Amino acid sequence: MRNHFVRWIVLGLLTATLTGCGYNDFQSKDEATKAAWGEVVNQYQRRADLIPNLVNTVKGYASHERETLEAVTAARSRATSIQVTPEVLNNPAAFQKFQQAQGELSSALSRLMAVSERYPDLKADTSFRDLQSQLEGTENRITVARQRYIASVQDYNVLARRFPTNLTAMMFGYDVKPSFTVENEKAISTAPTVDFGAKK
């Protein structure tokens, strides 16, 4: 009976200690970063899903712009081939690879939009204008999702670095998480130019 009582006291003290040292905070903030990351990935996938229709529409009017069309298709292929699991959040090298692929896709899309400016019939195409609207909306969603992820990672990383919760982080292996770098943030936060000229 006494051993049972002692066991409950020890368990209670352990629970209080883990709560006081931020263990539960790490659990909730880790889940928050995963959820925010899931939304980032979801919006990038939405953009990737728009690209085949966009490429096919442009091809119908500007098939000889083969190099640009192929660059967009290749960049999309590279971006979607990366395995995007929650483990990426704890692997700076994998996270960097993901950022680079998305940046290359943004750059290729910008070149495609610049090419489209040379084709008035393409700019007047209803399908193209619909894709323009969808792409603009998706780029805005990407920006919002990325901002939420950055804020979530910041909260988590402050907890991982601040005393005394940094001791809990070291004890349980809660390393700081990578976030979007300044250089990459500039590249991928610039939405492709989708202004197809003034409406008549």
Side-chain angles (χ1 to χ4, degrees), residues 96-117:
Q96 177 62 32
K97 185 177 178 184
F98 173 80
Q99 289 185 94
Q100 184 177 351
Q102 293 299 335
E104 289 172 2
L105 182 52
S106 290
S107 179
L109 274 172
S110 292
R111 289 193 301 275
L112 181 64
M113 292 302 145
V115 162
S116 70
E117 287 295 315

Side-chain angles (χ1 to χ4, degrees), residues 6 12-14 20 45 47 55 59 66 77 92 97 103 111 120 122 151 167 188 192 196:
V6 170
L13 289 172
L14 182 60
Q45 184 60 53
R47 178 174 73 170
V55 168
K59 193 184 293 183
R66 191 180 69 183
S77 178
K97 185 177 178 184
R111 289 193 301 275
L122 171 61
L167 301 176
I188 63 179
F196 302 111

Side-chain angles (χ1 to χ4, degrees), residues 36-51 79 98-99 101-103 105-107 109 133-151 180 184-192:
W37 175 248
E39 187 58 22
V40 169
V41 171
N42 182 46
Q43 296 307 328
Y44 276 128
Q45 184 60 53
R46 180 185 171 94
R47 178 174 73 170
D49 291 344
L50 287 172
I51 291 172
F98 173 80
Q99 289 185 94
Q102 293 299 335
L105 182 52
S106 290
S107 179
L109 274 172
S133 177
Q134 291 180 57
L135 187 58
E136 284 176 341
T138 300
E139 291 296 340
N140 289 337
R141 289 185 187 97
I142 287 171
T143 299
V144 170
R146 222 174 25 240
Q147 288 169 346
R148 287 178 180 161
Y149 173 74
I150 290 167
F180 293 102
N184 186 262
E185 179 70 7
K186 182 179 178 185
I188 63 179
S189 65
T190 303

Side-chain angles (χ1 to χ4, degrees), residues 24-45:
N24 289 337
D25 289 336
F26 275 111
Q27 301 305 306
S28 61
K29 290 184 187 298
D30 188 46
E31 288 303 317
T33 58
K34 288 176 183 174
W37 175 248
E39 187 58 22
V40 169
V41 171
N42 182 46
Q43 296 307 328
Y44 276 128
Q45 184 60 53

Side-chain angles (χ1 to χ4, degrees), residues 38-191:
E39 187 58 22
V40 169
V41 171
N42 182 46
Q43 296 307 328
Y44 276 128
Q45 184 60 53
R46 180 185 171 94
R47 178 174 73 170
D49 291 344
L50 287 172
I51 291 172
N53 288 337
L54 183 65
V55 168
N56 286 334
T57 303
V58 173
K59 193 184 293 183
Y61 291 89
S63 58
H64 56 285
E65 301 281 358
R66 191 180 69 183
E67 185 178 332
T68 303
L69 294 166
E70 287 177 354
V72 171
T73 302
R76 177 190 183 273
S77 178
R78 284 190 297 275
T80 56
S81 70
I82 296 173
Q83 288 283 10
V84 193
T85 63
E87 286 69 36
V88 169
L89 304 183
N90 300 317
N91 184 335
F95 192 87
Q96 177 62 32
K97 185 177 178 184
F98 173 80
Q99 289 185 94
Q100 184 177 351
Q102 293 299 335
E104 289 172 2
L105 182 52
S106 290
S107 179
L109 274 172
S110 292
R111 289 193 301 275
L112 181 64
M113 292 302 145
V115 162
S116 70
E117 287 295 315
R118 297 196 293 260
Y119 300 93
D121 290 345
L122 171 61
K123 292 193 295 184
D125 183 270
T126 304
S127 296
F128 194 63
R129 287 201 308 268
D130 288 345
L131 287 167
Q132 167 198 0
S133 177
Q134 291 180 57
L135 187 58
E136 284 176 341
T138 300
E139 291 296 340
N140 289 337
R141 289 185 187 97
I142 287 171
T143 299
V144 170
R146 222 174 25 240
Q147 288 169 346
R148 287 178 180 161
Y149 173 74
I150 290 167
S152 179
V153 167
Q154 181 182 10
D155 284 348
Y156 174 93
N157 286 346
V158 166
L159 187 69
R161 290 178 172 152
R162 185 177 57 204
F163 182 82
T165 52
N166 65 333
L167 301 176
T168 304
M170 287 188 285
M171 186 183 304
F172 290 98
Y174 290 112
D175 298 324
V176 295
K177 295 181 183 293
S179 191
F180 293 102
T181 61
V182 174
E183 181 180 331
N184 186 262
E185 179 70 7
K186 182 179 178 185
I188 63 179
S189 65
T190 303

